[in-house]
């Protein structure tokens, strides 16, 4: 049976799809497909896109990836892919793929910040980086060198970047774009459990009776998981219930038994309503045995602001008579002033009454950090008193056209499903709860309900944060590429953690910087303030993905700085930069990701990078060769007056000289060289390794010579050194080779076995160990170590300063409903929400270059209610302005289809750089997690 290439691809795809769902195919078709694939090499890998962690199979032929299909052996997706997943190969072969370094130069070939991009060698690129890093260190110290890091780094890339930044440059100004997507979930985990990441796993979907989505469009954002939810619902439609709690109607709502459209920010009130129903109207549902053994109640300050710039900051001075200040307009200052003083609204007043606030009263905001304290159950009950059905329905109803009594019935029905004895419940959320000026609060409130009912950390029950990026868990959280973290849940401010890291890295004690406050928004602000002089963008697109983007683009181009972007394509951040470096993309390098259910997956390099592109790991190692002990480990004075000590003598005691390079210390050290290159054995046999051995392209590297590679298995070394920090500490990972044999494992991996439900003695080795050691007669041990000794008080503060140990216990928090700092008013009368769509990934840097995906959704639309369009004289397909206090963009009106907002809200996705909606968004953050709130700001809509 002869097949044309087109027919073969169609038949092969059909055969693969049929196999994934267990269908048989005609023998002749299967035989033809097998014959045509006879010279293809298939290998497993992880999908490049969301945090679900789907497994894929990739076929290569003649040095190019020629096919992708779902991996039937992958437990996450079981052979299925979403529409993006099937195009994992095509994202690597766009027409404008970056192939050589590009530098802004003048007509003489000299660097010129106002020049045009021209190709340069890798050596010239690193020369310019070295010069500007030295300049930044001289002028601003370690705080002047920054990295926009990523939840899309491979684990090895992120670990390499962290080592050089924190151990080499002594700078904690490295923060991932994961700050934008799950930082609130992280701080919620820390405060509640004392350790990061979910207690449950995806298996809960098949085991539960109830799925509740909170601000999570799973049908489009996590479509493979939604297929499992759909299958679960259809398997027992009468018993299994689906509740969707959203600010607008979308595809996830199509499966819902109850769909609740709520006003932005009132999810705080909704969670407290459910808790009040339990405490006041269904006290018999509270599992007091579980509570007394495992839970304490806590409170925290409420007047903590909204994470914006504060009065007196450099770019807010001088203050002018017209209301403008520094680099900010009078309109912008109308919102920013709420960071200092907020007037209590009529809707907030009942919720804040237990704290002594009244309507119209000024709340003076002060930075509160992560401060919290233990309270009694009676205080918690007093806190819940205002959240009656009438009050919560009044403040939270999001669709102005919905009948209030109908809305109340939905709220009651939702609460009844949680409370029902014997009913298992899983609460899923993503950005709706995380991108929130009270993101940490609302994350902790989710656990309150599950804890009181003893429906957490059990098969089929639990609150579960669905992380957004492919390795936001594995690289941002677990590796610790946040500004305040170190590997395996360690913190830069903790001297014991710093020492353990320094000892593990074989660097002098005292090297690591204890001040870790330069999160992504602060890095942007520090560039605008002239503090950060050198910034390197890795595997992300911060000049498209950060709110109030106009400020940061202007600062990058106009301030005295040097911006570098490493990328596969020329996105907005690359265009804003002074130097662009071509990066190897995912399957052109060895790597690993960690997904949202704690599953870690590894893959091998499938093909050579295009052009002269090299991996981010190689780029970091190459840069590290240019800096020595003498260059970096002297004394520095930080902005807060603290001094980083001179550790050069201590370095000599470790056997280093002043001229020993960071490459020799952090990468090509004695331990690293023990990991040999052996292409005769699994998993290296038959696969390229550009970082370790070079390759046939003969790329000319940073030293002007052909890249021959580091000469040892650096990926295995970086993995094993990183993993050593978590082993024995509740974060155990398997060895490098094991991961190449399996389809991922959920940590902690103990004695070769993964953990499905953490903190549950029956399933978690560490929970059983801690329970036994403490002599606990309980099914649970919440063994996280962070914030496990607290003072005691009431809702308004600490009354007994002596701290009490809370070992093995988790927390229920009193946290009230509050409005965001910007709400619609007479001039800006509509809520704006941003997010993603099924076909595109984040900033569209990759997916907009896939012809099929581009044709499917070629531009970002402004989704609005037909009546909203009519009132503004707009028709479907026309262009409108979406304008806030920060800026405006044009977008095409859409009044039909997948996203159906109420009259009070519009939705604009952010994948399209031509519709740069983040110029409009507000850079307010949760003050605790520093995660930006993209889900709510006030705009006006009018005709172009």
């Amino acid at each position: 049976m002869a097949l044309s290439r087109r027919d073969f691809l169609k038949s092969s795809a059909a055969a693969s799809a049929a196999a994934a769902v267990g269908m048989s195919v005609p023998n002749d078709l299967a035989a033809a497909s097998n014959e045509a694939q006879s010279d293809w090499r298939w290998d497993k890998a992880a999908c490049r896109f969301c945090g679900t962690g789907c497994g894929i199979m990739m076929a290569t032929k003649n040095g190019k990836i020629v096919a992708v299909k779902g991996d039937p052996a992958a437990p996450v997706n079981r052979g299925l892919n979403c529409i993006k997943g099937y195009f994992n190969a095509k994202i690597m072969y766009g027409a404008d793929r970056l192939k050589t370094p590009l530098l802004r130069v003048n007509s003489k070939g000299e660097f010129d910040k106002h020049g045009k991009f021209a190709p340069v060698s890798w050596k010239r690129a690193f020369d310019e980086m070295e010069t500007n890093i030295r300049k930044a260190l001289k002028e601003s110290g370690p705080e002047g060198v920054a990295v926009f890091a990523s939840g899309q780094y491979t684990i090895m890339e992120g670990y390499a970047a962290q080592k050089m930044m924190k151990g080499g440059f002594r700078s904690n100004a490295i923060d991932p774009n994961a700050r934008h997507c799950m930082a609130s979930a992280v701080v919620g985990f820390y405060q509640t459990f004392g350790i990061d990441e979910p207690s449950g796993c995806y298996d809960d979907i098949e085991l539960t009776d109830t799925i509740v989505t909170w601000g999570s469009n799973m049908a489009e954002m996590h479509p493979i998981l939604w297929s499992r939810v759909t299958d679960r619902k259809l398997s027992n439609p009468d018993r299994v219930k689906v509740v969707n709690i959203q600010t607008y109607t979308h595809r996830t709502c199509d499966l819902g038994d109850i769909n609740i459209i709520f006003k932005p920010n009132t999810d705080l009130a909704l969670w407290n309503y459910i808790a009040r129903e339990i405490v006041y109207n269904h006290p018999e549902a509270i599992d007091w045995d579980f509570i007394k053994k495992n839970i304490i109640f806590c409170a925290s300050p409420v007047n903590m602001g909204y994470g914006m710039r504060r009065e007196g900051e450099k770019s807010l001075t001088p203050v002018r008579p017209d209301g403008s200040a520094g680099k900010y307009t009078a309109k912008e200052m109308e919102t920013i002033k709420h960071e200092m003083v907020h007037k209590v609204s009529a809707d907030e007043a009942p919720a804040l009454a237990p704290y002594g606030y009244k309507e119209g009263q000024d709340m003076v905001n002060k930075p509160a950090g992560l401060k919290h304290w233990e309270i009694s159950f009676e205080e918690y009950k007093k806190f819940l008193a205002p959240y009656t059905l009438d009050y919560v329905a009044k403040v939270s109803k999001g669709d102005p056209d919905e009948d209030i009594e109908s809305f109340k019935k939905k709220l009651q029905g939702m609460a009844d499903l949680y409370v029902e004895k014997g009913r298992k419940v899983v609460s899923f959320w993503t950005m709706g709860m995380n991108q929130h000026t009270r993101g940490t609060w609302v994350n902790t409130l989710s656990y309150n309900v599950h804890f009181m009912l003893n429906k957490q950390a059990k098969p089929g029950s639990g609150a579960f944060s669905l992380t957004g990026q492919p390795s936001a868990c594995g690289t941002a959280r677990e590796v610790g590429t946040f500004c305040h973290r170190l590997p395996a849940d360690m913190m830069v401010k903790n001297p014991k953690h710093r020492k353990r890291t320094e000892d593990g890295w074989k660097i002098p004690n005292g090297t690591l910087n204890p001040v870790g406050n330069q999160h992504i928004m602060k890095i942007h602000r520090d560039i605008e303030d002239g503090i950060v002089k050198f910034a390197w963008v890795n595997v992300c697109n911060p000049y498209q993905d950060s709110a109030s983007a106009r400020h940061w683009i202007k600062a990058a181009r106009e301030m005295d700085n040097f911006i570098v972007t490493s990328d596969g394509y020329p996105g907005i951040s690359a265009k804003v930069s002074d130097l662009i470096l071509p990066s190897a993309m995912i399957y052109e390098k060895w790597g690993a990701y960690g997904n949202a259910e704690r599953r870690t997956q590894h893959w091998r390099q499938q093909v050579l990078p295009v052009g002269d592109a090299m991996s981010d790991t190689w780029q970091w190692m190459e840069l590290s060769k240019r800096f020595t002990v003498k260059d970096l480990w002297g004394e520095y004075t930080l902005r807060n007056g603290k001094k980083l000590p001179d550790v050069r003598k201590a370095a000599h005691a470790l056997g280093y000289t002043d001229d020993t390079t960071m490459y020799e210390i952090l990468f090509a050290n004695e331990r690293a060289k023990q990991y040999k290159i052996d292409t005769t054995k699994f998993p290296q046999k038959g696969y390229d390794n550009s970082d370790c051995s070079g390759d046939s392209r003969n790329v000319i590297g940073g030293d002007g010579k052909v890249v021959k590679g580091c000469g040892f298995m650096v990926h295995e070394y970086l993995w094993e050194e990183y993993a050593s920090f978590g082993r024995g500490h509740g974060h155990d990972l398997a060895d490098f080779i094991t991961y190449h044999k399996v389809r991922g494992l959920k940590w902690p991996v103990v004695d070769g076995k993964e953990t499905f439900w953490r903190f549950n003695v029956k399933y978690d080795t560490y929970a059983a160990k801690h329970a036994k050691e403490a002599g606990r007669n309980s099914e649970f041990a919440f063994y996280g170590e962070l914030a496990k000794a607290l003072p005691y008080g009431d809702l308004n503060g600490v009354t007994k300063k002596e701290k009490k140990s809370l070992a093995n216990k988790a927390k229920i928090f009193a946290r009230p409903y509050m409005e965001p700092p910007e709400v619609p008013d007479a001039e800006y009368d509509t809520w704006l929400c941003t997010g993603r769509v099924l076909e595109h990934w984040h900033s569209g840097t990759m997916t907009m270059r896939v012809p099929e995906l581009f044709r499917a959704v070629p531009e970002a639309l402004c989704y609005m209610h037909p009546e909203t369009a009519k009132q503004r004289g707009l028709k479907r397909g026309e262009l409108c302005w979406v304008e806030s206090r920060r800026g405006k963009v044009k977008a095409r009106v859409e009044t039909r289809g997948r996203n159906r907002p109420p009259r009070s809200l519009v939705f604009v996705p952010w994948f399209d750089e031509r519709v740069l909606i983040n110029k409009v968004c507000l850079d307010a953050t949760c003050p605790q997690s520093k995660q930006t709130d993209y889900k709510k700001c006030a705009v006006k809509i009018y005709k172009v």
Side-chain angles (χ1 to χ4, degrees):
M1 178 180 176
L3 290 176
S4 69
R5 173 174 170 78
R6 179 180 178 84
D7 289 340
F8 160 69
L9 290 173
K10 289 168 65 177
S11 62
S12 182
S16 294
V21 296
M23 291 175 56
S24 60
V25 295
N27 291 334
D28 57 347
L29 183 63
S33 176
N34 290 334
E35 181 182 352
Q37 296 181 40
S38 61
D39 59 347
W40 291 10
R41 182 186 68 186
W42 287 96
D43 197 24
K44 74 176 181 74
C47 179
R48 175 61 179 81
F49 297 108
C50 77
T52 300
C54 293
I56 60 174
M57 295 297 292
M58 308 203 78
T60 55
K61 178 181 179 181
N62 298 329
K64 190 169 183 177
I65 299 171
V66 293
V68 176
K69 64 183 179 182
D71 183 356
V76 172
N77 55 312
R78 304 165 184 177
L80 293 177
N81 282 152
C82 76
I83 186 63
K84 292 187 296 294
Y86 286 114
F87 290 105
N88 268 286
K90 283 199 172 185
I91 62 173
M92 298 170 60
Y93 301 122
D96 60 343
R97 180 75 190 271
L98 294 168
K99 298 179 180 179
T100 188
L102 300 170
L103 178 69
R104 290 186 183 273
V105 296
N106 58 24
S107 59
K108 298 178 181 179
E110 301 163 331
F111 167 66
D112 184 342
K113 194 167 180 69
H114 303 290
K116 294 183 178 180
F117 286 113
V120 295
S121 66
W122 276 109
K123 183 178 185 303
R124 174 75 186 279
F126 284 113
D127 287 345
E128 297 291 345
M129 291 174 73
E130 178 186 350
T131 297
N132 283 280
I133 289 171
R134 290 183 185 276
K135 176 183 174 183
L137 289 170
K138 184 177 181 180
E139 294 184 17
S140 298
E143 291 161 307
V145 177
V147 170
F148 291 103
S150 181
Q152 298 170 61
Y153 271 140
T154 69
I155 287 172
M156 294 76 158
E157 287 169 344
Y159 185 66
Q162 174 169 237
K163 286 193 80 174
M164 185 57 198
M165 279 296 287
K166 295 178 181 177
F169 294 130
R170 308 177 79 180
S171 172
N172 291 324
I174 173 172
D175 210 53
N177 57 358
R179 175 74 68 178
H180 293 317
C181 83
M182 33 50 68
S184 295
V186 171
V187 182
F189 282 121
Y190 280 162
Q191 293 206 333
T192 303
F193 299 97
I195 191 172
D196 193 13
E197 299 201 31
S199 52
C201 60
Y202 299 155
D203 292 30
D204 287 326
I205 295 170
E206 283 77 27
L207 299 172
T208 194
D209 306 311
T210 319
I211 294 100
V212 186
T213 69
W214 291 77
S216 177
N217 185 0
M218 287 179 71
E220 292 201 55
M221 304 309 111
H222 297 88
I224 296 303
L225 294 182
W226 193 243
S227 72
R228 292 174 61 170
V229 170
T230 303
D231 183 62
R232 175 60 183 145
K233 169 66 178 172
L234 297 179
S235 70
N236 193 349
D238 293 332
R239 173 63 179 171
V240 177
K241 301 298 179 183
V242 176
V243 181
N244 298 298
I245 305 170
Q246 317 291 345
T247 59
Y248 63 94
T249 302
H250 44 60
R251 284 179 173 176
T252 299
C253 300
D254 295 343
L255 192 68
D257 295 283
I258 301 175
N259 292 315
I260 295 170
I261 304 301
F262 71 98
K263 187 174 76 176
N265 236 62
T266 59
D267 43 2
L268 294 153
L270 294 175
W271 276 117
N272 284 330
Y273 160 69
I274 303 170
R276 188 190 189 280
E277 279 292 293
I278 295 167
V279 170
Y280 281 82
N281 297 331
H282 297 280
E284 77 285 352
I286 301 175
D287 190 328
W288 278 109
D289 181 63
F290 171 81
I291 296 290
K292 289 175 181 177
K293 289 178 179 178
N294 301 290
I295 302 296
I296 64 158
F297 296 87
C298 293
S300 58
V302 297
N303 59 329
M304 60 182 186
Y306 307 94
M308 295 182 285
R309 279 194 177 276
R310 293 193 64 82
E311 192 173 38
E313 290 188 20
K314 188 172 181 180
S315 289
L316 288 188
T317 57
V319 178
R320 304 181 189 91
D322 67 354
S324 65
K327 298 176 181 178
Y328 290 76
T329 67
K331 285 293 183 185
E332 289 176 295
M333 292 305 298
E334 289 177 2
T335 300
I336 291 174
K337 69 181 182 181
H338 293 155
E339 177 64 16
M340 281 60 80
V341 180
H342 164 70
K343 195 173 291 294
V344 175
S345 74
D347 282 354
E348 292 173 309
L352 293 173
Y355 297 87
Y357 288 98
K358 298 179 180 179
E359 181 184 348
Q361 182 176 348
D362 283 344
M363 176 184 284
V364 179
N365 293 318
K366 302 175 182 178
L370 302 178
K371 182 180 179 182
H372 61 282
W373 54 89
E374 185 178 1
I375 60 172
S376 67
F377 172 72
E378 288 70 27
E379 281 289 292
Y380 177 67
K381 186 174 182 179
K382 181 173 77 172
F383 154 79
L384 288 177
Y387 297 95
T388 62
L389 179 59
D390 286 343
Y391 167 63
V392 173
K394 175 179 176 292
V395 300
S396 68
K397 186 169 76 74
D399 183 352
D401 298 322
E402 183 171 8
D403 175 71
I404 189 70
E405 294 304 319
S406 171
F407 187 70
K408 285 181 183 179
K409 287 181 181 178
K410 290 180 181 180
L411 298 189
Q412 187 69 64
M414 167 190 65
D416 289 346
L417 289 172
Y418 274 102
V419 171
E420 183 183 328
K421 187 175 178 62
R423 172 172 285 277
K424 298 176 181 179
V425 185
V426 176
S427 302
F428 285 121
W429 66 92
T430 39
M431 299 308 104
M433 273 173 49
N434 291 345
Q435 291 175 343
H436 202 305
T437 52
R438 292 294 180 266
T440 298
W441 284 13
V442 74
N443 269 266
T444 58
L445 293 182
S446 68
Y447 303 114
N448 292 1
V449 169
H450 283 267
F451 280 149
M452 282 194 286
L453 301 169
N454 193 4
K455 294 183 179 182
Q456 179 68 31
K458 300 174 78 170
S461 281
F464 195 119
S465 166
L466 291 170
T467 302
Q469 296 185 77
S471 200
C473 290
T475 308
R477 297 159 79 165
E478 296 160 21
V479 169
T481 51
F482 285 96
C483 64
H484 64 290
R485 290 182 70 163
L486 293 166
D489 278 324
M490 293 190 291
M491 301 291 169
V492 298
K493 71 177 182 180
N494 186 317
K496 292 181 180 178
H497 292 176
R498 293 198 303 275
K499 184 180 186 306
R500 188 171 157 229
T501 304
E502 288 162 345
D503 291 345
W505 288 352
K506 300 293 189 295
I507 61 177
N509 292 161
T511 302
L512 293 181
N513 183 342
V515 181
N517 60 12
Q518 286 176 278
H519 55 88
I520 273 191
M521 291 315 306
K522 185 163 177 56
I523 291 173
H524 277 307
R525 292 166 189 167
D526 280 350
I527 292 173
E528 186 174 57
D529 289 349
I531 303 298
V532 167
K533 301 288 187 180
F534 176 92
W536 191 1
V537 176
N538 284 189
V539 206
C540 62
N541 196 351
Y543 291 97
Q544 185 175 341
D545 72 30
S546 296
S548 200
R550 180 179 61 85
H551 273 275
W552 322 129
I553 291 171
K554 185 177 181 181
R557 294 304 310 134
E558 296 182 3
M559 297 297 292
D560 178 22
N561 56 41
F562 191 79
I563 311 295
V564 183
T565 291
S566 295
D567 206 338
Y569 292 104
I572 286 182
S573 296
K575 294 168 186 172
V576 165
S577 298
D578 303 301
L579 174 66
I580 305 172
L581 304 179
S583 283
M585 293 185 70
I586 177 171
Y587 309 116
E588 297 169 340
K589 57 196 175 187
W590 290 67
Y593 280 161
N595 78 356
E597 66 165 352
R598 295 173 279 109
R599 181 181 299 277
T600 309
Q601 300 183 75
H602 285 231
W603 66 89
R604 298 180 279 200
Q605 182 176 338
Q606 301 297 314
V607 291
L608 298 184
V610 301
D612 287 345
M614 294 296 292
S615 78
D616 291 77
T617 302
W618 178 86
Q619 292 176 36
W620 275 104
M621 291 194 299
E622 202 72 4
L623 180 67
S624 72
K625 295 175 181 178
R626 291 169 173 260
F627 294 91
T628 67
V629 167
K630 179 174 60 181
D631 296 329
L632 302 182
W633 285 357
E635 183 181 87
Y636 292 101
T637 301
L638 303 176
R639 273 181 289 181
N640 65 1
K642 288 187 176 182
K643 291 187 181 294
L644 294 182
D646 186 328
V647 295
R648 288 174 293 184
K649 286 186 179 179
H652 299 161
L654 290 174
Y656 308 134
T657 70
D658 278 352
D659 296 324
T660 305
T661 66
M662 292 298 124
Y663 175 70
E664 294 169 288
I665 296 170
L666 300 175
F667 301 110
N669 51 53
E670 186 177 329
R671 178 178 179 179
K673 291 177 181 177
Q674 294 174 3
Y675 294 92
K676 305 296 185 183
I677 296 171
D678 189 343
T679 57
T680 67
K681 294 181 180 178
F682 178 87
Q684 298 180 44
K685 185 177 181 179
Y687 287 84
D688 289 303
N689 196 328
S690 300
D691 292 338
C692 301
S693 305
D695 59 52
S696 59
R697 295 174 301 153
N698 292 323
V699 174
I700 305 299
D703 57 0
K705 301 176 182 178
V706 172
V707 173
K708 297 295 185 183
C710 60
F712 55 93
M713 188 57 179
V714 68
H715 311 290
E716 186 172 7
Y717 158 62
L718 292 171
W719 171 261
E720 292 297 340
E721 183 179 272
Y722 150 64
S724 68
F725 287 108
R727 291 172 182 152
H729 298 275
H731 201 125
D732 304 61
L733 295 158
D735 64 274
F736 182 82
I737 293 176
T738 292
Y739 283 110
H740 284 282
K741 296 177 179 177
V742 300
R743 262 58 174 186
L745 295 169
K746 296 184 288 290
W747 64 264
V749 181
V750 181
D751 297 327
K753 296 180 180 179
E754 60 184 344
T755 300
F756 288 77
W757 291 277
R758 285 201 302 166
F759 314 125
N760 188 314
V761 168
K762 184 176 179 180
Y763 302 98
D764 183 347
T765 301
Y766 277 94
K769 174 177 175 285
H770 282 271
K772 183 178 180 181
E773 289 175 352
R776 289 169 56 79
N777 179 27
S778 174
E779 298 176 64
F780 302 90
F782 297 101
Y783 51 80
E785 297 178 354
L786 298 173
K788 285 301 183 75
L790 295 178
Y792 191 86
D794 56 25
L795 289 176
N796 289 304
V798 173
T799 57
K800 297 178 183 178
K801 291 186 178 180
E802 184 180 353
K803 291 186 177 183
K804 175 184 172 184
S805 173
L806 309 168
N808 293 310
K809 291 196 173 186
K811 302 166 191 171
I812 286 177
F813 279 91
R815 276 161 168 173
Y817 162 63
M818 291 182 70
E819 290 179 343
E822 186 173 271
V823 299
D825 57 18
E827 183 176 3
Y828 300 95
D829 59 356
T830 304
W831 291 105
L832 167 68
C833 179
T834 64
R836 293 193 280 123
V837 294
L838 171 66
E839 292 83 357
H840 289 294
W841 174 242
H842 282 196
S843 61
T845 310
M846 296 178 290
T847 53
M848 286 288 274
R849 287 167 169 84
V850 176
E852 293 86 345
L853 298 177
F854 179 83
R855 285 196 297 269
V857 182
E859 63 180 320
L861 304 173
C862 180
Y863 292 90
M864 65 180 69
H865 192 281
E867 190 63 28
T868 303
K870 184 179 178 181
Q871 289 173 353
R872 289 157 178 78
L874 294 165
K875 295 180 180 178
R876 180 174 182 254
E878 290 184 337
L879 289 173
C880 69
W881 284 109
V882 181
E883 181 178 342
S884 74
R885 290 172 172 84
R886 291 153 296 282
K888 64 181 182 178
V889 298
K890 290 179 185 177
R892 200 170 302 281
V893 174
E894 178 56 89
T895 57
R896 304 179 194 169
R898 61 175 75 181
N899 299 305
R900 305 179 290 282
R903 287 189 291 113
S904 52
L905 181 144
V906 296
F907 171 75
V908 182
W910 65 280
F911 66 84
D912 188 350
E913 66 179 50
R914 299 161 302 175
V915 183
L916 185 48
I917 195 62
N918 280 327
K919 289 197 299 185
V920 175
C921 293
L922 174 64
D923 61 320
T925 73
C926 169
Q928 295 184 304
S929 70
K930 310 301 189 292
Q931 178 162 358
T932 312
D933 189 342
Y934 296 90
K935 297 302 178 185
K936 57 198 78 76
C937 70
V939 298
K940 55 186 173 183
I941 311 293
Y942 55 96
K943 199 166 187 175
V944 171

